[in-house]
Every structure is written in C-alpha cells, then in structure tokens.
Amino acid sequence: MNTVKPGAPILTFPLEGSRFAVELANVREVVLRPPLAIIPGAPDTLVGLLSLRGQPVVVADLRPLIGLAGRSTAPPAVVVIDGAPAPLGLAVDGMPRVESMPAGTLLPPAPELSGHGAIVVGSSEGRTLLASDVVAADSRLMPHPSPPGRQVPG
C-alpha cells in the first residue's frame, strides 16, 4: 500500500467511526449483507465463513488487529481481498466506496494505531491506509484446526 500513487483508486470503508482504505487493485469484490457460517472455537479475529460462488472465504474482524474496541457479528458488508493462500473477507461497518488516493504526503498513522506493525501504513486526509497484502497474510486471521482427538461441537 505504501507504493500507492496519488490519484490511484482505493476502496474506503467505515470501521468504528473511522475511514480505512485498501488499494483497489487488491479487492476482489464487495458482498452486501452476506450470510455467514459460524466457525466453532474461532478466535475474536474471525467473524465467520462466507460462501463465495461455492468457495469458502474466511471473514475477519480487523478491530482486534489494529487496537479498536467492538466486535463485528453481522457486518453489513464484506470486502473480499486477494490473499495467499486464499482470498480473505474483511467485515466492515458500512458501504465501501471507491475514491482516489489523495495527493500529498502520507502521514504516520494516528498514535492509537501506530503500534500495529506493517498492517497500518499511514493516514491521508482522514483515511487510514492498510496494507492488504499484510492483512491477508496475518496468521491471526486464519482458523486453526482442532487438535487431534478433540470434537468440534456442531
């Protein structure tokens, strides 16, 4: 994300009263009011599973990763980003919109967000820019299989 040039398209979305953004080139699609399957025993970072044309997509809650309070349980929209080894859904609080990367200097992230490693790239004109490739690769956003011999309620 730190290589996004002024004028490049970004997708912005609300989260806990603030606007966040990812590079549009890394967005696969936006799904409105998605039905989500619960993942038993999942950590707080996972909201559920989305079936995207038959492909399961993990839907993550960014709040715990970037130090925001609150919890997403039924997001009004999910932003699906490309990731390795699979796409990842980001639960957001409202309708995302396409904007242009503002011209000017990318400022350091707000103090309350600055301690969250490479996920938060910086801020510009009221938007906090996230590195979607770093988010998609974060192991805290992947469901962990149950230990051998443990029954998962279902």
Side-chain angles (χ1 to χ4, degrees), residues 19-48:
R19 294 229 38 103
F20 289 83
V22 293
E23 190 173 356
L24 187 62
N26 296 329
V27 175
R28 185 172 286 193
E29 66 185 275
V30 174
V31 182
L32 301 178
R33 293 178 292 289
L36 299 177
I38 302 299
I39 305 171
D44 287 346
T45 53
L46 299 184
V47 179

Side-chain angles (χ1 to χ4, degrees), residues 43 45-46 58-62 65 88 90 134-144:
T45 53
L46 299 184
V58 172
V59 177
D61 187 353
L62 290 172
L65 295 183
L88 176 69
L90 305 177
V134 175
V135 171
D138 195 306
S139 64
R140 296 173 291 178
L141 300 179
M142 295 299 127
H144 301 288

Side-chain angles (χ1 to χ4, degrees), residues 30-137:
V30 174
V31 182
L32 301 178
R33 293 178 292 289
L36 299 177
I38 302 299
I39 305 171
D44 287 346
T45 53
L46 299 184
V47 179
L49 279 176
L50 165 68
S51 178
L52 191 60
R53 287 178 290 288
Q55 179 184 12
V57 175
V58 172
V59 177
D61 187 353
L62 290 172
R63 289 168 182 83
L65 295 183
I66 56 178
L68 296 176
R71 171 107 169 94
S72 182
T73 54
V78 170
V79 174
V80 180
I81 59 174
D82 287 320
L88 176 69
L90 305 177
V92 300
D93 291 346
M95 183 60 134
R97 64 179 185 233
V98 175
E99 299 180 17
S100 294
M101 178 69 183
T105 305
L106 186 62
L107 302 172
E112 63 273 14
L113 298 175
S114 63
H116 298 284
I119 291 174
V120 179
V121 175
S123 65
S124 180
E125 295 186 13
R127 298 167 197 86
T128 299
L129 305 175
L130 304 174
S132 56
D133 56 338
V134 175
V135 171

